[in-house]
Amino acid sequence: ALRELRAQYEALAARNLQAAEDWYRARCARLHERAARSQEAVRASRREAGECRRQLQARLVEMESLRGAHQSLERQLQELEERHNAEAAGLQDTIGQLEDDLRNTKNEMARHLREYQDLLNVKMALDIEIAAYRKLLEGEETLFNMGSGGLPSLNSLPSPTYSFQPRSFSSST
């Protein structure tokens, strides 16, 4: 009976051992399968993380490049603004000088016009005076010619001299 019991016990133990081994193998196979899937997922995650790192590095390099380009453009813009402001200031100075020159030229033209008017007034007064002297001379010549026909002795007299005394003219503009 003990042998039988022992045989049953050993058979039960062998079945349990076989069941445990089957369970263990199935469990290990599932775990190995899960581990393989997990390793593949980890590898895929690592590849993805590496790709993300590369993209991040590329974006950082691109961002630094764009930042440098932005700073360069800002400097160029500032230089252009400074140059433009300097040119505008120079042009304003030139405009101011030209306006001063124009004002001076206008004043000079007005002065020349006044001088011209004064000279024209003097000329007209001299023309009037010359015309008056001509009339006087023609009148005296006529008198002299009329009187010299009967008096030959008067012809030997020296011709009368006329003295010109200029008048001072004041101009009013």
Side-chain angles (χ1 to χ4, degrees):
L2 269 174
R3 277 190 201 153
E4 202 176 297
L5 199 57
R6 184 179 253 203
Q8 284 179 357
Y9 178 75
E10 283 179 9
L12 183 65
R15 270 195 316 248
N16 281 343
L17 183 62
Q18 186 63 36
E21 264 186 51
D22 288 343
W23 178 83
Y24 175 76
R25 281 189 190 127
R27 189 80 164 154
C28 277
R30 277 185 275 153
L31 286 176
H32 281 297
E33 193 178 303
R34 273 190 194 167
R37 277 185 278 168
S38 294
Q39 281 181 345
E40 187 59 37
V42 166
R43 278 189 225 120
S45 294
R46 283 184 183 163
R47 280 193 302 266
E48 191 177 329
E51 184 63 31
C52 286
R53 269 191 229 108
R54 280 191 294 277
Q55 287 179 356
L56 177 64
Q57 289 294 341
R59 296 293 185 255
L60 288 174
V61 168
E62 185 179 348
M63 188 173 75
E64 286 300 317
S65 171
L66 290 174
R67 187 174 290 142
H70 176 69
Q71 289 172 348
S72 172
L73 289 173
E74 286 289 331
R75 279 193 303 274
Q76 288 177 356
L77 179 64
Q78 186 176 4
E79 289 171 2
L80 283 173
E81 285 177 349
E82 289 172 359
R83 196 173 340 144
H84 173 72
N85 289 338
E87 287 176 3
L91 291 174
Q92 286 296 334
D93 291 344
T94 303
I95 289 171
Q97 289 173 353
L98 290 173
E99 286 175 347
D100 288 344
D101 290 347
L102 180 63
R103 202 173 307 112
N104 291 338
T105 303
K106 283 182 179 179
N107 290 337
E108 192 173 330
M109 283 178 61
R111 184 178 55 82
H112 285 303
L113 184 61
R114 282 190 302 272
E115 288 175 1
Y116 175 76
Q117 289 292 338
D118 291 345
L119 289 174
L120 192 60
N121 289 339
V122 167
K123 180 192 175 291
M124 289 176 68
L126 288 173
D127 285 345
I128 292 170
E129 199 169 325
I130 288 170
Y133 282 127
R134 270 199 189 119
K135 274 188 174 179
L136 286 174
L137 282 174
E138 287 173 3
E140 280 193 26
E141 249 180 50
T142 307
L143 284 176
F144 187 68
N145 284 339
M146 286 170 48
S148 69
L151 299 171
S153 63
L154 287 178
N155 283 337
S156 63
L157 290 175
S159 64
T161 56
Y162 298 99
S163 67
F164 172 70
Q165 296 176 355
R167 289 189 248 159
S168 64
F169 295 99
S170 66
S171 66
S172 62
T173 313

